Amino acid sequence: MASAPVLVTRRLPEEAIARLTASCEVTLWQEERPMPRARLLADSAGKAAIITLLSDRVDDELLEAAGAGLRIVANYAVGVDNVDLAACSRRAVMVANTPDVLTEATADMAWALVMAAARRVAEGDRVLRAGSAWVWGPEMMLGREVYGKTLGIVGFGRIGRAVARRAGGFGMRVLAAERSGGAAGAGGAAGTGGAAGTGGAGGEVEWLPLDDLLAASDFVSLHVNLSDETRHLLDRERLARMRPTAVLVNTSRGPVVDEAALAEALSAGRLFAAGLDVFEAEPHVHPDLLSHPRVVLTPHLGSATVDTRRAMGILAVDNVLEALAGRRPPALVNEDAFRRPKA
């Protein structure tokens, strides 16, 4: 393993890179932008491991370019929607991710967006920075109360449960979406047919069908994985079920929400505000969302804390080192690839 060739498609925290270079021969893409596809294919050739980001498409073309010696693709993310898992498994290429270590940071980010969107924080900031004339008044920039309201969580996995725990401090009623063909509950445990339970939230959680949850919630926070079932999970029809006073927050994956339909709902006053950390075609954002005063936008910062990004890097490297040593990576996604011998 001492000289195993490894490709890293973006700079990782220094400690992670140092840990990897101590054991492997590392090819590191030094730029902040994603690797151009042609360069990614060329640099993958002959590698035993590749550490990828969500912007790197891992498919048959890439696996073919890497060659038969590729043992693992370690995604620096929780989601693996950029990876063709079936193609990797066919070739006995393990796929690993970085769960758990970013749960609390992403839950914090969801709450930051809840508060900022509800109380028009970014809008107020822009007013002051623009030097606009203002005088305090009883009806100036009125937002929405958070304390004591109803929070609907779509995707009750690790992050969804962490968001629910925080809701306890705001005295909120917490709803979770039941699975419906695996979509609404994707990324977490299924509901219990409407029964209340703790769900790991530190208080009661009520399970409802997704459409009922949308109609009953003052705030809706999305935490589902991206799949064919969850792409445009919140489309025009479902957005129409939400209250005109409601706030939508998305820290999961951009394509879960139909951005054009969301922009339309906001412009028509059918939704009060939105807080978005992810987008359909990153780094591009729908122009009507960019211009709407009650949309809070952040550039995919859910896991962007020093501690969390460091932990993600260490876990990605550990996944690689364990795989190259012939052991099961700690965050293996496709178990069958570990058990299947390489051709």
Side-chain angles (χ1 to χ4, degrees), residues 63 68 70-71 84-94 323 326 332 334-343:
L63 298 173
L70 183 64
R71 292 293 297 128
D84 186 333
L85 292 176
C88 288
S89 293
R90 283 196 304 269
R91 298 169 184 259
V93 174
M94 289 175 276
L332 181 65
N334 57 341
E335 188 73 35
D336 53 338
F338 176 62
R339 301 183 184 282
R340 179 179 299 175
K342 291 288 282 184

Side-chain angles (χ1 to χ4, degrees), residues 115-271:
M115 298 300 297
R119 298 303 305 271
R120 302 171 70 170
V121 171
E123 186 181 357
D125 181 84
R126 288 191 296 271
V127 166
L128 294 180
R129 291 182 188 276
S132 303
W134 65 280
V135 176
W136 185 92
E139 295 190 345
M140 177 188 176
M141 293 188 67
L142 300 183
R144 297 292 171 186
E145 295 277 353
V146 177
Y147 191 87
K149 298 300 183 179
T150 298
L151 171 66
I153 298 176
V154 183
F156 208 66
R158 298 178 185 91
I159 298 171
R161 291 194 297 270
V163 169
R165 287 196 300 273
R166 286 155 174 76
F170 288 87
M172 300 183 86
R173 175 192 181 199
V174 178
L175 310 177
E178 296 174 355
R179 285 186 186 273
S180 175
T192 54
T198 62
E204 282 198 346
V205 174
E206 301 171 47
W207 296 87
L208 291 178
L210 176 58
D211 289 349
D212 293 345
L213 176 147
L214 295 174
S217 297
D218 300 298
F219 298 88
V220 174
S221 191
L222 304 178
H223 303 284
V224 296
N225 298 323
L226 180 60
S227 67
D228 290 342
E229 292 176 322
T230 61
R231 188 175 297 274
H232 281 194
L233 181 66
L234 264 66
D235 55 12
R236 183 171 282 99
E237 180 181 349
R238 284 214 164 102
L239 288 167
R241 295 180 182 275
M242 294 182 66
R243 299 174 175 181
T245 56
V247 173
L248 175 67
V249 167
N250 188 11
T251 56
S252 59
R253 288 289 179 267
V256 171
V257 178
D258 182 338
E259 282 188 4
L262 174 60
E264 180 183 300
L266 287 161
S267 297
R270 296 194 298 272
L271 200 63

